[in-house]
Amino acid sequence: MGRWPRELMSGFKVHSLAVALALACAFSTAGYAQTVASTAVRADEQLALEADQLIYRRATDEIEAVGGVDILYQGNRLIADRVIYNRTTGRVVARGNVELFDGSDNVLRAQVIDVTDDFSRGFVEAVELRSPAYGEFQAARGERVSDTRYEFTDGAYRPCRVCEANRDKPTLWSVRAKTIIIDEEERTVVYRDATFALFGQPIATLPYFRHADPRVSRSTGLLRPQFGYSDERGPSIGIPYFMVLSDRTDLTITGTAFSRQGFMLDTEFRQRLDETPLGTGTYTLRGAGIYQLTPGAFSPGSVDANKRWRGLLATTGKFKPGTNWTFDWDIVFQSDRTFGRTYDVKGYNGEVITNNVSLTGLEGTSYFDLSGYQFLVQDSLDLQDRQALVTPHLTYEKTLAEGDWGKFQFVTRGSNIIRVARDAKTVPGDTKFEGLEGRASRLASEFIWSGKFTGGGMVFKPLLAARGDFYSYQTNTAAGIAGADAGVIGMATAGLEVSYPVLVTAPGSTHIIEPVAQIYARPNERLAGQLPNNDAHSLVFDSTSLFARDKFNAVDRVEGGTRVNYGLRYSAAFDNGLTLGAIAGQSWHVAGVNSFAVQDVANSTATSGLETKLSDIVFGVNAGFGKVASLDARVRYDQHSSKLARAEVEGTLYGEDLQLGLGYTFVDEQPLLGFVSDRHEVSGSFQANLTENWVVGLGASYDFSGGSFVTSNATLGYQADAGYFGINYSREEPGYTTNEITQSFDFEVRLFPFE
């Protein structure tokens, strides 16, 4: 219902008007009518009163302002035909075309306002409150019956920002009631004999309805209902009930009825704590469960079809043991591997859930993170034993010193990874191991000095680095490294980047053209391809990684040998708002063993574009035109085979009522990675305002190689000041992480969008 009770009865400071009239009277002659232009008081209590007449009646001890009354006091304004203040009874009465302004855009109108000057009692007649922030409220009569209780008769509410401009147009929803009671102490709004309307048409009548006051951020009561649909579960409706247990604890209970599967209960307890060994913070405890009535509605043989009792237990927490430290966790246990996704349990409905515990510290130039995590794959395929359990993962970075001479840093990264079963797939002529059975540990520490100097228009960036790695593993996987081993390896790097930026100015534009060359001299990578590779799989060579010192993306592989990277960078800015950027270049392995020509158990370097002496050529272009359009494209060209090896294009067009996005990805065949044919995928998204209120959204990605849509989604919604109603549809085809078609409907309802 918005904030209208407080603005109506106290936000407008009606009792201040009594003071204003009393002060104004001090400047009048008792018993005589006066025309008052303005009356000034203390500088910190500015008062101005205008009226045709100001009268003091000594017999009744009343002050009356008559005709065109306009009172300004402490940012509040009262307009009325007549205002009377009785100093004996302490009663203030404003009559006839009464308008109250509180200094914001809120406007209260009434025919009569009658209150005591201490604001203990009062009533209004024919009241109307309009607030751009909360909407419009009307009632035949309103009365303050106690310090915390207000009652209104024949009331109606429209949740609209600009009700006056939409006077003849029904809002999305509204409510009318014989009696409306606002209880400030209980923080509730009660309706008696209430009728709810949609687009101006009555849809439901309730003899009694109660909800929490929307002004209150935490109040016991019902929350917004949740609607959904899926083929296996049928239509569903969830009703959340929020309970405030104390100023530090609360409980949310959500009951969801599925037409085909029965009733699911989801309960979440939250508490905020101070002065604990972990410091100040919050934690949650959550449980959800269902007894499935029709398991056979799911695909035969799936996890969903083989269970009756299903559920999860989860907990989250975040504490600050000190000013610079944070300790948090997010842990879930499920009855089976797909429950959270199947029943769309918020927070646990993704394809992959990550259990995580971490301690993070940040102070000055130091960063520390120690964490442990586990991936839970929600799929009918039993992939769980192949997933990594990381206990722990460590990152520590610190700038030891910094000055005109450069920066001296220390970096440590490491992990201990355990798998129950190997994660492998057969590729042409080989086996690709995503992960090895057993345990693998790696700890890498590095000292880095880097500097930046200029001279003769050129920019010089020298670098020296020394890294040492401890490794240990134990595995039974037949990947050429079966057994157990441990040891220490190292890597030293000396590098230099030289660039020559040239500034070119032209009418209406500025351009920077910058030739760049790098050289990194290193010994060969020790034990290249002979150690487990758990984290350095995603090797993508393009314009974004052309000038990277180490083009491996993680710790388990480190680039060795001497390499030269060279290319050209370009940027431009135009007065009309257009910006351009481009980069082109190539990498040349000069000496030593090329790490990218050496395969490991994950085949991570296969067809990377770096495995030959001269790499593929990479290009990158980006463009933007204010808030109208943007384009980003990256291309890798194989100069040896004269083929396009990789291409990615993303573009977005923005309009006043339209947003259009298009994307295209091409990747040449990569047999050793399991892709025996070229991959072409196009994606698009479309969002538009069809009318003032109706919105539509479409999205899809299509795999040309497989000849099918990978994902598709659609949204149709009606949005207004009064809220939003929408229907969402999504569909996902079988892929690497799922062997089933997944589709769902979601009905979204949002009220009070401007709260």
Side-chain angles (χ1 to χ4, degrees):
M1 291 293 293
R3 297 192 178 187
W4 53 267
R6 196 176 299 275
E7 272 86 3
L8 174 64
M9 304 303 286
S10 62
F12 287 98
K13 303 181 185 292
V14 176
H15 59 286
S16 298
L17 301 173
V19 179
L21 287 169
L23 291 170
C25 182
F27 291 88
S28 66
T29 303
Y32 293 89
Q34 303 244 344
T35 298
V36 182
S38 64
T39 306
V41 294
R42 287 168 36 190
D44 60 345
E45 294 185 352
Q46 293 294 321
L47 170 87
L49 185 150
E50 292 185 0
D52 294 339
Q53 290 182 316
L54 185 63
I55 303 171
Y56 173 62
R57 296 187 179 91
R58 185 171 295 166
T60 57
D61 199 17
E62 288 182 341
I63 305 165
E64 181 175 5
V66 183
V69 181
D70 193 339
I71 301 173
L72 295 174
Y73 184 66
Q74 291 186 341
N76 300 284
R77 184 182 184 188
L78 170 69
I79 297 175
D81 294 339
R82 180 184 301 250
V83 178
I84 302 172
Y85 171 50
N86 189 307
R87 298 198 299 181
T88 301
T89 63
R91 202 156 195 91
V92 179
V93 180
R95 293 181 180 276
N97 301 310
V98 183
E99 293 187 353
L100 275 172
F101 304 87
D102 66 351
S104 67
D105 292 328
N106 299 328
V107 179
L108 183 145
R109 295 184 174 93
Q111 286 303 308
V112 178
I113 295 179
D114 188 340
V115 296
T116 56
D117 60 1
D118 64 357
F119 196 50
S120 60
R121 288 290 187 274
F123 70 88
V124 291
E125 291 183 358
V127 62
E128 177 184 294
L129 175 67
R130 295 179 183 175
S131 169
Y134 299 99
E136 178 184 87
F137 170 78
Q138 296 176 331
R141 178 185 173 90
E143 182 177 0
R144 182 180 185 185
V145 297
S146 71
D147 289 345
T148 60
R149 186 180 176 91
Y150 307 90
E151 293 188 4
F152 296 88
T153 304
D154 293 331
Y157 175 67
R158 301 174 65 206
C160 54
R161 279 192 179 95
V162 189
C163 295
E164 186 67 30
N166 300 295
R167 176 60 51 195
D168 299 328
K169 182 179 180 180
T171 56
L172 178 62
W173 68 273
S174 61
V175 61
R176 179 179 293 276
K178 186 66 176 177
T179 304
I180 302 175
I181 301 171
I182 291 87
D183 194 316
E184 295 282 356
E185 184 176 2
E186 296 292 332
R187 297 183 174 184
T188 59
V189 180
V190 175
Y191 305 83
R192 292 196 173 120
D193 296 327
T195 299
F196 294 86
L198 186 66
F199 297 109
Q201 299 301 315
I203 59 171
T205 299
L206 296 175
Y208 178 89
F209 179 71
R210 171 179 170 174
H211 66 76
D213 189 331
R215 296 169 297 168
V216 180
S217 59
R218 296 176 71 249
S219 181
T220 297
L222 295 172
L223 303 179
R224 187 176 69 216
Q226 304 164 356
F227 303 94
Y229 173 82
S230 74
D231 294 339
E232 298 82 8
R233 300 171 310 187
S236 66
I237 179 172
I239 306 294
Y241 186 77
F242 181 76
M243 301 172 61
V244 177
L245 305 180
S246 72
D247 61 344
R248 294 172 177 265
T249 59
D250 55 54
L251 182 69
T252 303
I253 302 175
T254 304
T256 304
F258 298 92
S259 64
R260 301 196 68 181
Q261 299 301 339
F263 182 79
M264 184 178 76
L265 187 65
D266 186 350
T267 303
E268 183 177 38
F269 173 81
R270 302 188 306 172
Q271 183 171 23
R272 178 168 56 88
L273 297 174
D274 295 327
E275 306 300 330
T276 73
L278 294 177
T280 301
T282 61
Y283 74 93
T284 69
L285 299 173
R286 186 172 180 183
I290 188 174
Y291 179 80
Q292 294 190 150
L293 299 179
T294 317
F298 296 97
S299 299
S302 66
V303 176
D304 299 317
N306 293 328
K307 293 283 186 178
R308 285 283 189 178
W309 286 105
R310 306 182 68 185
L312 63 78
L313 295 174
T315 176
T316 66
K318 187 172 185 177
F319 286 82
K320 294 189 72 65
T323 304
N324 303 309
W325 292 90
T326 301
F327 176 71
D328 56 18
W329 70 85
D330 189 344
I331 300 173
V332 61
F333 301 95
Q334 296 195 130
S335 59
D336 55 83
R337 59 181 177 267
T338 62
F339 169 73
R341 188 179 185 192
T342 297
Y343 283 93
D344 197 23
V345 180
K346 186 177 180 180
Y348 303 98
N349 52 1
E351 294 182 13
V352 178
I353 303 174
T354 304
N355 281 337
N356 178 73
V357 179
S358 65
L359 175 65
T360 304
L362 179 63
E363 181 177 3
T365 60
S366 298
Y367 172 76
F368 176 89
D369 178 81
L370 182 64
S371 58
Y373 48 90
Q374 178 189 31
F375 302 107
L376 305 178
V377 178
Q378 298 201 84
D379 190 84
S380 57
L381 296 174
D382 188 1
L383 304 173
Q384 192 53 51
D385 286 347
R386 310 179 195 179
Q387 306 310 307
L389 172 63
V390 184
T391 57
H393 182 275
L394 170 67
T395 300
Y396 176 67
E397 300 176 2
K398 183 176 179 60
T399 298
L400 302 174
E402 187 172 8
D404 294 339
W405 46 268
K407 181 189 295 186
F408 189 41
Q409 298 172 282
F410 175 71
V411 177
T412 292
R413 293 183 176 87
S415 61
N416 181 65
I417 297 175
I418 299 173
R419 277 189 178 85
V420 175
R422 70 179 188 177
D423 185 6
K425 65 178 179 179
T426 301
V427 297
D430 199 1
T431 300
K432 172 179 165 57
F433 293 91
E434 301 284 349
L436 306 182
E437 175 189 355
R439 176 192 56 80
S441 304
R442 189 78 171 246
L443 180 66
S445 297
E446 187 172 30
F447 289 96
I448 307 167
W449 171 81
S450 60
K452 181 178 179 179
F453 308 98
T454 59
M458 303 183 73
V459 179
F460 302 90
K461 296 180 180 179
L463 177 140
L464 296 173
R467 168 175 163 169
D469 289 29
F470 167 78
Y471 69 89
S472 174
Y473 64 86
Q474 184 173 5
T475 178
N476 294 321
T477 302
I481 56 173
D485 194 12
V488 176
I489 55 178
M491 176 64 67
T493 303
L496 176 65
E497 176 181 301
V498 181
S499 63
Y500 188 71
V502 178
L503 176 64
V504 179
T505 59
S509 63
T510 302
H511 309 258
I512 299 177
I513 303 172
E514 184 180 17
V516 182
Q518 295 175 326
I519 182 170
Y520 292 109
R522 295 166 289 221
N524 296 333
E525 178 187 6
R526 292 285 308 279
L527 302 178
Q530 302 176 42
L531 299 176
N533 178 6
N534 285 290
D535 61 5
H537 292 188
S538 302
L539 175 58
V540 177
F541 175 52
D542 60 18
S543 58
T544 62
S545 59
L546 172 62
F547 295 112
R549 171 167 65 102
D550 189 339
K551 294 176 177 57
F552 286 111
N553 64 322
V555 173
D556 283 350
R557 291 293 303 267
V558 55
E559 186 176 343
T562 299
R563 181 173 291 275
V564 172
N565 305 312
Y566 51 89
L568 186 70
R569 286 194 288 242
Y570 167 78
S571 63
F574 296 81
D575 293 348
N576 62 3
L578 175 66
T579 60
L580 294 175
I583 187 171
Q586 191 176 29
S587 185
W588 173 28
H589 183 77
V590 177
V593 176
N594 184 352
S595 294
F596 301 103
V598 180
Q599 292 295 342
D600 54 38
V601 295
N603 291 354
S604 62
T605 61
T607 61
S608 65
L610 292 162
E611 64 273 20
T612 56
K613 196 170 188 68
L614 279 177
S615 74
D616 291 352
I617 302 173
V618 294
F619 304 89
V621 176
N622 62 79
F625 190 70
K627 297 182 179 180
V628 177
S630 64
L631 176 69
D632 190 5
R634 296 173 299 279
V635 173
R636 197 179 91 220
Y637 175 75
D638 188 340
Q639 64 169 345
H640 306 287
S641 63
S642 300
K643 291 176 58 179
L644 183 66
R646 188 182 186 95
E648 297 173 272
V649 182
E650 300 172 18
T652 306
L653 180 66
Y654 304 91
E656 183 177 353
D657 296 311
L658 172 72
Q659 179 174 324
L660 178 64
L662 292 173
Y664 172 74
T665 301
F666 165 79
V667 182
D668 195 14
E669 62 179 13
Q670 297 173 297
L672 290 179
L673 297 181
F675 303 103
V676 295
S677 61
D678 297 348
R679 284 169 286 165
H680 302 262
E681 185 172 309
V682 62
S683 61
S685 63
F686 172 80
Q687 296 178 359
N689 297 326
L690 300 179
T691 66
E692 180 183 354
N693 300 107
W694 286 100
V695 297
V696 63
L698 300 171
S701 60
Y702 185 82
D703 180 8
F704 284 95
S705 302
S708 64
F709 284 95
V710 180
T711 61
S712 55
N713 59 78
T715 297
L716 179 65
Y718 183 91
Q719 61 182 5
D721 286 342
Y724 173 84
F725 290 170
I727 302 175
N728 305 315
Y729 169 77
S730 64
R731 176 186 174 96
E732 182 177 348
E733 296 290 333
Y736 177 71
T737 59
T738 178
N739 65 349
E740 296 180 342
I741 295 176
T742 303
Q743 60 180 346
S744 65
F745 283 96
D746 176 62
F747 302 92
E748 186 176 0
V749 179
R750 295 198 303 267
L751 304 181
F752 303 108
F754 40 89
E755 288 182 353

